[in-house]
Amino acid sequence: MNTTLKTLVAVAATGSLLNAAELTGKISVKGTPPPAKPIPAVKADPNCGKSRTEDAMTRTWVVGAANGLANVVVYIKGGLEGKTFKVSEEKPLIDQTGCMYEPYVSAVQTGQTFQVRNSDAFMHNVNATPKINKGFNFAQANAGQVNEKTFDKAELGAKFACNVHPWMIAYVSVIENPFFAVSDKDGKFTIKGDLPDGKYTLAAFHQKGGEVTTEIEVKGGKATAALEIEAKQ
Ligand SMILES: [Cu+2]
């Protein structure tokens, strides 16, 4: 093996080790949250109603199989103090489609570029009112328009709203490290990345239910966690 090839092999091996950690788990809801409610204004709107045969539903509490709770931001909250991480070049998308924000809940890293798109053939405006970061408000008049933004500071649940369609709401959390995920429809989550073995505090944040934490230990690149968030009216 020549020197160049040896170096390439060494780099490839290191790369795979660096991406070894995988944290998995489930977020459950404790108690009975209020059920989702229809939002009749969406179907009734002359523009928004065109693409819709059924009512849009509220997404405050989305509960799936075995009390699994969706739309929970799960992230490493403690154990990484003083460390800095490369910002992902991936650009998460917050889409406006059928007069709803998709996804309803998302997360980005501090300094990570994300995209906001209008997929509808009429105007929306994007009014972001974070409490710690700098807000913005711009119109997207046409289908396909994309604007790119970043937030510099950690913040949970920054609110996005469209003032043309008052039910259009989304929440974006900004996490200081790349180790985060949003729970799926059954409350499951997977966080992958270059996380060294060790002890960490894992947090789960729900827009209405608040935040809970647990201590985890990553061993051999693996850890699992189960957290419960209490239902609130
Ligand atoms: Cu709108």
Side-chain angles (χ1 to χ4, degrees):
M1 204 187 284
N2 68 37
T3 315
T4 312
L5 191 54
K6 267 186 201 158
T7 310
L8 284 174
V9 170
V11 168
T14 313
S16 65
L17 281 174
L18 283 174
N19 288 300
E22 186 175 281
L23 276 59
T24 56
K26 189 183 163 181
I27 312 298
S28 306
V29 65
K30 190 180 174 189
T32 309
K37 290 195 196 86
I39 314 169
V42 189
K43 211 166 73 177
D45 182 277
N47 285 321
C48 305
K50 275 182 202 152
S51 59
R52 207 167 269 285
T53 52
E54 284 173 20
D55 272 330
M57 304 295 285
T58 57
R59 296 178 283 182
T60 311
W61 295 98
V62 178
V63 181
N67 294 324
L69 184 60
N71 295 329
V72 177
V73 178
V74 188
Y75 68 102
I76 299 279
K77 184 172 184 169
L80 295 169
E81 290 75 12
K83 294 198 169 79
T84 53
F85 299 93
K86 195 172 170 281
V87 177
S88 170
E89 284 167 25
E90 226 176 279
K91 295 177 181 173
L93 176 69
I94 299 159
D95 199 10
Q96 298 168 102
T97 175
C99 294
M100 299 290 274
Y101 279 104
E102 299 293 347
Y104 179 59
V105 168
S106 58
V108 297
Q109 193 179 347
T110 46
Q112 181 177 16
T113 301
F114 60 92
Q115 298 190 320
V116 185
R117 183 172 74 195
N118 181 7
S119 291
D120 291 329
F122 44 86
M123 193 184 83
H124 295 294
N125 79 301
V126 184
N127 187 1
T129 52
K131 295 198 164 78
I132 299 167
N133 287 282
K134 197 165 171 274
F136 51 80
N137 187 5
F138 55 83
Q140 291 190 319
N142 303 309
Q145 187 177 334
V146 174
N147 291 68
E148 295 195 340
K149 292 284 171 189
T150 57
F151 288 130
D152 297 331
K153 297 181 180 77
E155 174 164 5
L156 294 173
K159 188 176 178 182
F160 283 45
C162 168
N163 304 105
V164 184
H165 310 105
W167 61 82
M168 282 182 72
I169 304 280
Y171 295 100
V172 178
S173 287
V174 191
I175 309 296
E176 269 175 330
N177 60 66
F179 308 113
F180 56 81
V182 177
S183 65
D184 71 11
K185 64 177 179 54
D186 293 321
K188 294 192 174 143
F189 67 87
T190 301
I191 299 172
K192 282 185 183 175
D194 168 18
L195 183 66
D197 279 7
K199 291 182 176 171
Y200 300 98
T201 303
L202 187 74
F205 170 75
H206 184 267
Q207 199 67 37
K208 190 85 180 174
E211 185 173 271
V212 295
T213 62
T214 189
E215 302 307 310
I216 58 161
E217 182 165 14
V218 179
K219 267 188 191 168
K222 301 265 179 213
T224 60
L227 291 107
E228 267 190 345
I229 287 183
E230 215 161 309
K232 287 195 179 114
Q233 294 300 305

